[in-house]
């Protein structure tokens, strides 16, 4: 777990070369090759988007004031939030569809954290892993709620 935590920035500078050759090595090439619809993601590919999300996150004052463990969980969730996109992205109705990417990403993150970083034994490690995975699974929920106010199914999705 120490190898994983080592990539979480203490300040507002992210060591991308370290991240790309360690934690994200299994995912980064596929993420670079996966395009996104310009309407929502003008930055182009999934890896560029992920980097932009993480860069914006570490600049937030609220993020910097979180307790250390929460900063670690939130940063890793931001890093993993779109790892499922390469597996599900397809061209559909004139744009790239990524339906199911959050659920796939959660599954991928869980397996990766379990196998590669041993986050399966203690209750503390399982709790850390599942917090990261839950954040990955529900990362799009605030946007969906904002786009469809008053629709309760989104809230039920969290409880499921």
């Amino acid at each position: 777990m120490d190898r994983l935590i080592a990539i979480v920035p203490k300040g507002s500078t992210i060591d991308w070369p370290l991240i790309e050759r360690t934690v994200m090595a299994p995912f980064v090439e596929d993420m670079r090759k996966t395009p996104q619809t310009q309407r929502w993601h003008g930055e182009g590919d999934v890896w560029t988007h992920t980097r932009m999300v993480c860069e914006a996150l570490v600049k937030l004052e609220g993020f910097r004031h979180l307790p250390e463990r929460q900063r670690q969980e939130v940063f890793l969730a931001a890093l993993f939030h779109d790892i499922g996109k390469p597996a599900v992205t397809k061209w559909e109705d004139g744009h790239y569809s990524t339906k199911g990417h959050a659920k796939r990403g959660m599954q991928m993150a869980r397996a990766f954290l379990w196998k590669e970083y041993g986050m399966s034994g203690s209750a503390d490690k399982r709790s850390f892993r599942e917090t990261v995975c839950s954040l990955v699974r529900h990362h799009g929920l605030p946007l969906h709620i904002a786009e469809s106010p008053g629709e309760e199914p989104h809230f039920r999705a969290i409880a499921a």
Side-chain angles (χ1 to χ4, degrees):
M1 187 160 155
D2 291 341
R3 293 180 300 129
L4 180 66
I5 299 308
I7 61 109
V8 177
K10 303 250 186 287
S12 60
T13 303
I14 300 171
D15 187 345
W16 288 112
L18 174 65
I19 289 171
E20 288 184 19
R21 73 175 179 270
T22 58
V23 175
M24 295 304 286
F27 310 110
V28 72
E29 285 308 312
D30 285 340
M31 292 172 79
R32 278 191 176 120
K33 293 175 189 173
T34 304
Q36 301 191 105
T37 297
Q38 291 292 331
R39 178 178 173 202
W40 296 287
H41 295 292
E43 65 275 3
D45 65 85
V46 175
W47 182 240
T48 301
H49 166 73
T50 297
R51 286 182 57 144
M52 290 173 70
V53 166
C54 291
E55 292 286 349
L57 175 66
V58 300
K59 288 175 177 49
L60 293 174
E61 187 175 336
F63 173 75
R64 291 192 307 273
H65 286 81
L66 288 173
E68 184 176 23
R69 180 179 172 125
Q70 288 179 356
R71 267 195 338 272
Q72 294 164 350
E73 292 165 339
V74 170
F75 182 79
L76 291 171
L79 197 57
F80 292 142
H81 85 279
D82 278 346
I83 62 171
K85 278 188 176 179
V88 301
T89 298
K90 60 184 173 184
W91 185 256
E92 188 176 84
D93 299 326
H95 65 88
Y96 291 102
S97 169
T98 61
K99 290 178 186 137
H101 82 276
K103 184 175 182 180
R104 178 70 64 91
M106 173 193 68
Q107 294 164 341
M108 292 170 66
R110 179 176 291 122
F112 181 71
L113 292 171
W114 183 308
K115 292 174 187 171
E116 298 299 320
Y117 291 95
M119 299 183 105
S120 58
S122 71
D124 186 55
K125 287 181 180 180
R126 287 191 315 268
S127 173
F128 187 98
R129 181 193 70 222
E130 289 308 308
T131 297
V132 171
C133 292
S134 292
L135 290 168
V136 169
R137 173 66 177 101
H138 299 293
H139 75 269
L141 199 57
L143 178 62
H144 293 299
I145 291 170
E147 289 179 347
S148 52
E151 292 190 22
E152 292 181 28
H154 298 297
F155 296 105
R156 284 195 296 269
I158 293 174

